[in-house]
Amino acid sequence: MATDLHELLRSLRVWDPEVTHLPPLDPATAPAAPLPLFTEWFAAAVAAGQTEPHTMSLATSDESGLPDVRIVMLHGADETGWSFASHAGSRKGRHLAARPYAALGFYWPVLGRQVRVRGPVSAAPSEESQGDLHDRSTGALAAALTGRQSEVLESLDDLARASQSAWERAAREPETPVPSWTLYRLRAEEVEFFQGDERRRHVRLRYRREGEEDWSRELLWP
């Protein structure tokens, strides 16, 4: 019997109280800059058992302005920006070369929280990118060595052979450089924190950069 998508969607519930805790967000106690609040929320998501809290949506656009989005991993966040990595020749890498601006989206349903980040993106120096890669797992290096990200794949057998060779090399030569591997850093111009509420009185707190170090804060209607 075919699945009735409409009925399946109608059966789902958001923020089931049996598995979701909706903590408050008091804008009056929010810090002056977004990074400390992001760090606090991220730690809370980890402590609450959120699955893969370091994954995030990355939205870019191509030369024609057409949008694209995918899930990537957060590599770090500090005063210089939010970091992620990819091959320079991948689709996202080509997008960022043509239009170096992006948006990030985090969703931690166990707490009913979202964080949205927008801003210009720059590529880290090669030494930093390679250092980031080699600080990660053997599997991460193997995936990077497999390469050809976003190119057309003729068969899964081709992938299996390339991946096996890459895994063997990664284990044998853990410091192997991957010149195309690039660490990208998004310098936030705007960061929004969304706290869900059972009565749909969601709290949205937006930070906007004012100069180099200062931020303005404002509430948004949900």
Side-chain angles (χ1 to χ4, degrees), residues 48-132:
Q50 177 63 60
T51 303
E52 299 180 352
H54 56 323
T55 57
M56 60 188 182
S57 299
L58 166 66
T60 58
S61 56
D62 64 17
E63 294 180 354
S64 300
L66 297 176
D68 206 347
V69 67
R70 75 289 287 164
I71 303 297
V72 298
M73 184 183 297
L74 178 69
H75 284 218
D78 56 27
E79 289 74 11
T80 64
W82 277 252
S83 301
F84 57 93
S86 184
H87 289 283
S90 67
R91 178 178 292 183
K92 67 181 80 67
R94 297 194 303 271
H95 285 186
L96 291 170
R99 291 175 175 261
Y101 198 93
L104 307 175
F106 296 86
Y107 180 43
W108 300 313
V110 70
L111 296 172
R113 286 175 167 174
Q114 299 181 54
V115 180
R116 300 164 64 193
V117 188
R118 295 198 302 176
V121 178
S122 59
S126 176
E127 296 79 7
E128 187 176 350
S129 295
Q130 296 304 303
D132 170 79

Side-chain angles (χ1 to χ4, degrees), residues 166-188:
W167 272 91
E168 292 171 358
R169 187 178 181 189
R172 185 176 64 250
E173 305 171 29
E175 298 301 318
T176 301
V178 183
S180 63
W181 189 256
T182 304
L183 182 68
Y184 294 98
R185 185 166 288 114
L186 186 154
R187 183 177 185 271

Side-chain angles (χ1 to χ4, degrees), residues 25-43:
L25 168 58
D26 182 359
T29 63
L35 183 61
L37 184 55
F38 176 83
T39 302
E40 177 186 329
W41 275 27
F42 185 85

Side-chain angles (χ1 to χ4, degrees), residues 191-207:
V191 184
E192 180 188 325
F193 294 85
F194 172 104
Q195 175 60 66
D197 177 82
E198 292 177 353
R199 297 183 64 83
R200 303 305 190 260
R201 299 167 184 168
H202 315 309
V203 178
R204 295 176 62 188
L205 175 62
R206 180 170 65 184
Y207 289 78

Side-chain angles (χ1 to χ4, degrees), residues 124-183:
S126 176
E127 296 79 7
E128 187 176 350
S129 295
Q130 296 304 303
D132 170 79
L133 175 61
H134 294 129
D135 280 344
R136 301 177 69 204
S137 65
T138 300
L141 177 58
L145 286 168
T146 301
R148 304 187 66 177
Q149 190 175 41
S150 301
E151 295 182 18
V152 174
L153 174 66
E154 294 297 332
S155 74
L156 292 180
D157 287 340
D158 290 345
L159 173 59
R161 285 191 293 270
S163 176
Q164 180 62 32
S165 176
W167 272 91
E168 292 171 358
R169 187 178 181 189
R172 185 176 64 250
E173 305 171 29
E175 298 301 318
T176 301
V178 183
S180 63
W181 189 256
T182 304
L183 182 68

